[in-house]
Amino acid sequence: MNLGDRKRLILQAIIEDYINTAEPVGSRTISKKYLTNTSSATIRNEMADLEEMGYIEQPHTSAGRIPSDKGYRLYVDQMMGQQELNKSQDDLIKREFTDTLGEIDRLIKHASKLLSQMTQYTSIITTPQVKKTYLKHIQLIKIDAGTVLAIIITDAGIVRNSVLRLMRDVPSDILEKISKTLNESLCGVCIEDIAGIILKDTDEGYAGYKEILEQILPELIQTLIYSDKVEVYHDGAANILNLPEFNDIDKARRFFNTLEEKDLLFNVLKDSQENINISIGSENKYEQLQNCSLITATYKVNGKTIGSIGVIGPTRMEYSKVISIVDCMTNNLSDILTKIIKY
Amino acid sequence: MNLGDRKRLILQAIIEDYINTAEPVGSRTISKKYLTNTSSATIRNEMADLEEMGYIEQPHTSAGRIPSDKGYRLYVDQMMGQQELNKSQDDLIKREFTDTLGEIDRLIKHASKLLSQMTQYTSIITTPQVKKTYLKHIQLIKIDAGTVLAIIITDAGIVRNSVLRLMRDVPSDILEKISKTLNESLCGVCIEDIAGIILKDTDEGYAGYKEILEQILPELIQTLIYSDKVEVYHDGAANILNLPEFNDIDKARRFFNTLEEKDLLFNVLKDSQENINISIGSENKYEQLQNCSLITATYKVNGKTIGSIGVIGPTRMEYSKVISIVDCMTNNLSDILTKIIKY
DNA sequence: ATTAGCACTCAACTCTAACGAGTGCTAACA
DNA sequence: TGTTAGCACTCGTTAGAGTTGAGTGCTAAT
């Protein structure tokens, strides 16, 4: 399995040249640009071996070699230098984020835009998952006769609201009392557990307005379930039109259609709960993505994973660069989010 | 200026055939498919006239004719039959909307998706503009020591919230009182006027917690200004890849880049405050859109315009169909929105 | 006023030949 | 035994030439 130094160098040269040029790499190119002390003939021999081992392949007889998925994998796992972000890039990320103290969803979308701009690929992102966080505050506000606004704040700083319709009018002070009691019994409970708990506690502690509560609760639970609709956004889709692998209008169309399959993207992002996750070409579970590579990572609040971001690009991706950007991005995102919440 | 019946028929035939086929239309085609009693030679003569008048043009000498922007304009203004939506389409719109009682922003996005699906072009849409609506309720909620959540509800049913950071702790009951006073003095005021009013009223009525108020107000005003960031979404961008006019990867790329210019889209939507607005090709203010046509309309709450939706497609657009869909869509949207709010 | 006929134009397509980048193999060399 | 030079071969790409066909404008006849 060990390749020998020269084979490694040749493989690396092929991969890096191909990442830059998107053209098959020939033995002569390598001999001229990378291994200047070795003749093209020798390199041809080595390349034949590498091809036999499955690290590179030939699109057709009289063309140079391109890396296979297996080749990329080896490259990512063993050969790729961890690229340092240059300071201006690093700064950019930091600056952009500190400018955006505000709604959490906006922050996430902003991150997505930034990510696609910096990588020049397409970014995908999920909004924070509410149900994994813990209730911090709940408040019912009367708007009209029969209309109540429920506000839910979780420990991840996520605010969700929903309008409840009631059959009859409920006075403000009763709503205030109900809010208080709900807070007392539910504060700190994980959102996904609330539905169960509310129902159980119905009998205790709400003496005097049980009837009203029975109207509010189902609606409220509905809201909680509803509010967990995680959304998937993408940004920079147009970037891929600049890549030669999508010059074919058909391939471009297929790519765009895949991007509109939100469920698929959601699953892809959900599956990768590693700190940072790299799927190369055929390694992808979904057929539509098997000519792409995906780099995904999760963002956290207080160490708790609440969402994911990622980059989709061609298998010929600038792995090193993208990985460091995604990494830096999630770190900053998690930092800022945690700060926003903690203050 | 009056064309004469046969010229009108020929122009109409050219436009409708071109809308369907995206191919230049020749005299023979018209003679065979549309004006079967007239020979191609006669039609050629008429076409020469129409070209001289600027209603049609020839991409190159030995090709058929295609409509000019002026031709489309005449068609839209005078010749186009108002297409009835077939019942299933009409139903679809109604059904989809009634299913989506929920957050207003979500409703808008859903409309956008539906619009692009039904037209097979790209839809664009603005979220509701807060500043044109009137304050219905404002509420401050204490989250932590020093952290306050401000909730703003407007008469259009829009809910916005924002976290305020204060230098020192403010007890809940004071916040409650402030909320009450703010409500009394601001309820019914147009959002864009609030900043002025708040400052003016600072001296009256808030005796006892003026100091606290002075901390909260600037932040609150900030929120109000901030909350008016109208966002622009689009959907169905991939649809245009199915059109022959965007088969050229370069044109596709330019189109996608235009879609990412949110400011431009926003202005386009803002400019068209007519009930329904049609811009054809070169009529568009922005150069990037001059090979497209745009159909936009506004949606309302209680008769008050709060946002716009629209469709972008090639100048060869199915005007009749799109207009009726956009029209139906905005009517339903306005209805539902008004109902949601009124209840 | 309409139409048939004809010469003309020009994009699109097909076919072919030349080109050149790259390979594999062989034989010579260190 | 590993390396290299040389050479024949492959095959995608490009450019040019020829062909086709849809469509036009013009003219003369009806």
Side-chain angles (χ1 to χ4, degrees), chain B residues 197-213:
Chain B
I197 289 182
I198 287 179
L199 293 171
K200 202 177 62 195
D201 282 355
T202 305
D203 295 332
E204 322 162 9
Y206 302 98
Y209 37 86
K210 195 180 158 191
E211 191 192 349
I212 295 164
L213 203 59

Side-chain angles (χ1 to χ4, degrees), chain A residues 134-138 181-190 194:
Chain A
Y134 298 85
L135 188 75
K136 191 170 184 180
H137 192 90
I138 184 168
T181 327
L182 283 174
N183 266 311
E184 277 160 19
S185 58
L186 296 178
C187 213
V189 173
C190 187
I194 283 184

Side-chain angles (χ1 to χ4, degrees), chain B residues 66-165:
Chain B
I66 61 175
S68 68
D69 292 348
K70 186 177 167 190
Y72 283 125
R73 169 53 65 191
L74 185 73
Y75 175 73
V76 166
D77 287 346
Q78 297 183 23
M79 295 151 66
M80 180 182 67
Q82 179 70 1
Q83 188 178 320
E84 289 296 313
L85 287 191
N86 63 47
K87 221 176 75 203
S88 72
Q89 285 182 305
D90 194 22
D91 281 358
L92 178 62
I93 294 177
K94 281 223 180 66
R95 186 150 28 81
E96 289 287 328
F97 276 148
T98 42
D99 281 357
T100 321
L101 284 164
E103 264 183 68
I104 196 165
D105 279 17
R106 255 186 238 264
L107 184 63
I108 301 299
K109 280 186 218 165
H110 186 65
S112 180
K113 166 155 263 123
L114 191 55
L115 189 54
S116 70
Q117 278 172 358
M118 291 184 76
T119 60
Q120 290 294 303
Y121 299 119
T122 303
S123 67
I124 56 177
I125 203 151
T126 63
T127 53
Q129 208 178 5
V130 180
K131 75 173 176 200
K132 292 286 170 208
T133 58
Y134 298 86
L135 187 75
K136 190 170 186 179
H137 191 92
I138 184 167
Q139 178 97 25
L140 304 174
I141 302 173
K142 177 172 170 179
I143 303 181
D144 272 336
T147 314
V148 170
L149 185 73
I151 312 266
I152 290 153
I153 306 163
T154 81
D155 70 334
I158 302 166
V159 181
R160 287 287 134 92
N161 59 63
S162 139
V163 177
L164 310 180
R165 314 290 185 185

